[in-house]
Every structure is written in structure tokens, then in C-alpha cells.
Amino acid sequence: MAWYPGAKKMELQPESDQQQAIRPTQLIVHSIVANWTARRTYEFWRDSTNLESHFGIGYGARDIAQYIGTETRADANAQANRRSDGTGAISVETASNSTATDPWNASQVEELIALGVWAHQRHGVPLRICRTSGDPGFGYHSMFAAWSTSGPACPGPARIRQFRKVVFPGIVARATGKTNPPK
């Protein structure tokens, strides 16, 4: 199991020990459509549903938690974690307003960039945007139908623009040693 050192560990059981292993080749960002802290997201996964993500990011600075090791399947990505070759995706839920229309704040952007760099360094997730649902790289939940059973619009148009113009370029800039990522 791989645990990100920048996150608080809030391990979900029995999922963390009982779900199948994956080899992460993707990182997929989501919006939970709730103004929740990382702890509240953990409580929701633990108490209210049989789904879960690997990470939760709240609105506050350093409000990131990890619920399952990144080499274990998390169900929030649907078919992205049920491939016959054993590859899968790291899922990251982020707090949002109740309609998923707000952009990520500066703290959330920083956490996403730092986590993306770690996923690239630790698991070799390539520094590109996924071209298909099975293509290694970085993406967002509504990018491909195979990543969702219900077809959600998360993370929403504002965050999709941010992902393409700020978050992903920031991951690439930091991972490759460039000092001026986009603002």
C-alpha cells in the first residue's frame, strides 16, 4: 500500500484491506458537491455508502486526507479501477459548493498540484492528460463515461477549466523543475 506523506491517514476498513490491488496509472479529480472537510468526507465514506475515494481535500489549507492506499481499488472511479490488466486510477474528491459550480480555491489547487507530482514520482503516472478512459495520465471524473456509473458533471465547468489551465500545467511545471507554474 502506498500512503502519501502530505495527507492525514484516515484508513477506511474493511475496504482498505479487502479490495483488490491496482497498479495506478491515472489520477482522476472529482467534486463531492458538498462543503465538507477531509474528515467529513471520510465519515461519509465510512458511514453512508459503499463507495470511496483514495483522497479527500477540503477548502482549508492542508486539509487533505487519504482513506485507502493508492495501490488498492477505490470505487469512486467506476470502471477505471476494474481493468483486466490490473491498472487503475487514484481518485481525489474535493469539497465544492452544493452545485459544483465554484472553482477550486488556492489551497485546493496547491494540494492537487502537490499530490499530482507525488503520483507522478511514486507511481509513474505520466505527465499528460488522459486521451481515453484507459490511457495513463491525469483527468477529471466527467471526462469519460467509463469513469462514472451515473454520468455526473463533476467537477463542473469552472474546475475543468482550472484543471486544464492551472492544475495540470502546475503539476507538469513542478514535476519537471520549472519555477513559474501558471497562476
Side-chain angles (χ1 to χ4, degrees):
M1 275 195 228
W3 294 90
Y4 172 53
K8 294 175 212 125
K9 185 176 180 180
M10 298 180 190
E11 192 170 7
L12 287 168
Q13 287 294 344
E15 296 89 343
S16 188
D17 290 336
Q18 293 181 354
Q19 293 184 166
Q20 74 185 35
I22 61 166
R23 184 175 48 82
T25 60
Q26 299 171 321
L27 185 141
I28 301 172
V29 295
H30 303 247
S31 290
I32 201 155
V33 193
N35 180 11
W36 288 349
T37 63
R39 172 158 292 286
R40 176 62 186 102
T41 301
Y42 163 77
E43 292 165 353
F44 174 71
W45 294 139
R46 183 192 67 200
D47 302 337
S48 303
T49 182
N50 63 349
L51 295 175
E52 69 285 319
S53 62
H54 290 98
F55 293 93
I57 299 175
Y59 280 121
R62 298 186 188 171
D63 188 14
I64 179 171
Q66 185 172 355
Y67 314 121
I68 292 180
T70 52
E71 294 168 330
T72 301
R73 183 190 82 219
D75 295 319
N77 294 324
Q79 295 305 312
N81 280 341
R82 297 181 186 274
R83 296 189 189 112
S84 60
D85 67 357
T87 61
I90 297 166
S91 55
V92 185
E93 289 287 352
T94 58
S96 67
N97 64 23
S98 62
T99 55
T101 57
D102 60 331
W104 288 303
N105 68 28
S107 295
Q108 291 174 306
V109 168
E110 173 54 31
E111 295 296 353
L112 288 167
I113 290 172
L115 180 59
V117 171
W118 178 81
H120 169 68
Q121 293 170 342
R122 173 67 174 84
H123 296 295
V125 175
L127 297 174
R128 68 177 182 228
I129 294 175
C130 299
R131 299 165 291 195
T132 66
S133 63
D135 185 46
F138 293 80
Y140 48 87
H141 197 206
S142 61
M143 189 176 251
F144 299 107
W147 291 354
S148 170
T149 57
S150 59
C154 103
R159 291 180 178 198
I160 291 170
R161 279 190 300 277
Q162 267 185 305
F163 173 82
R164 291 186 174 276
K165 294 183 180 196
V166 179
V167 173
F168 180 71
I171 292 167
V172 173
R174 195 171 297 170
T176 58
K178 295 184 179 167
T179 57
N180 296 319
K183 295 187 180 209

